[in-house]
Amino acid sequence: MKKTKRQPLRFLVIARTAPGRHPHPMEVAVHPAGSASRFSISLGAHPVNAGGQVALSAVLDESRTGLNPVWEKEFEAAELHWVVPYLVRLQAGEDTPDEIVAAYTARHDKAPATIFQDRHGV
């Protein structure tokens, strides 16, 4: 049987930071796909960065109504608390990508970058 290669996932980059309050630069992105959404984070300069992908549900608290406290430090450093309500609704199956783009654009005067990544992790 011939294997077919899965297409990379499209992610919206919702944060890119430089070293500052957080000791390492960060890149944070979300692949919006309802309850199958993925969350990607990379910490550190690209030659020596660490990071990965997790299911969006892992970023939310047990009730899926707010941020999992495990992620508080990263969301604070990247000033990402604005996106939590959209992530909650996205996980619940609502179509929020256009709203995320609009909110990001309003905050940064430009649309978020798009990156493509292979699916990693669980």
Side-chain angles (χ1 to χ4, degrees):
M1 180 189 275
K2 184 178 179 181
K3 283 189 175 183
T4 57
K5 184 176 179 181
R6 293 195 307 190
Q7 294 296 316
L9 303 176
R10 178 179 167 265
F11 283 77
L12 299 172
V13 179
I14 55 174
R16 279 191 176 137
T17 68
R21 294 180 314 188
H22 194 274
H24 307 289
M26 280 192 288
E27 180 177 87
V28 181
V30 64
H31 168 66
S35 62
S37 295
R38 308 284 298 162
F39 187 79
S40 171
I41 187 165
S42 174
L43 300 171
H46 283 287
V48 293
N49 68 339
Q53 279 180 30
V54 296
L56 179 57
S57 60
V59 177
L60 301 176
D61 61 19
E62 288 183 26
S63 65
R64 304 292 185 256
T65 58
L67 182 65
N68 182 330
V70 169
W71 294 92
E72 182 65 37
K73 187 170 124 183
E74 289 79 11
F75 271 65
E76 183 67 31
E79 299 178 356
L80 274 176
H81 287 284
W82 65 269
V83 79
V84 173
Y86 299 108
L87 299 180
V88 167
R89 292 175 44 220
L90 182 62
Q91 179 65 35
E94 290 187 41
D95 188 19
T96 64
D98 289 343
E99 293 177 66
I100 293 171
V101 169
Y104 180 96
T105 302
R107 293 178 67 83
H108 300 282
D109 295 324
K110 63 180 180 178
T114 299
I115 59 174
F116 293 87
Q117 294 181 5
D118 290 332
R119 180 182 301 271
H120 300 287
V122 290

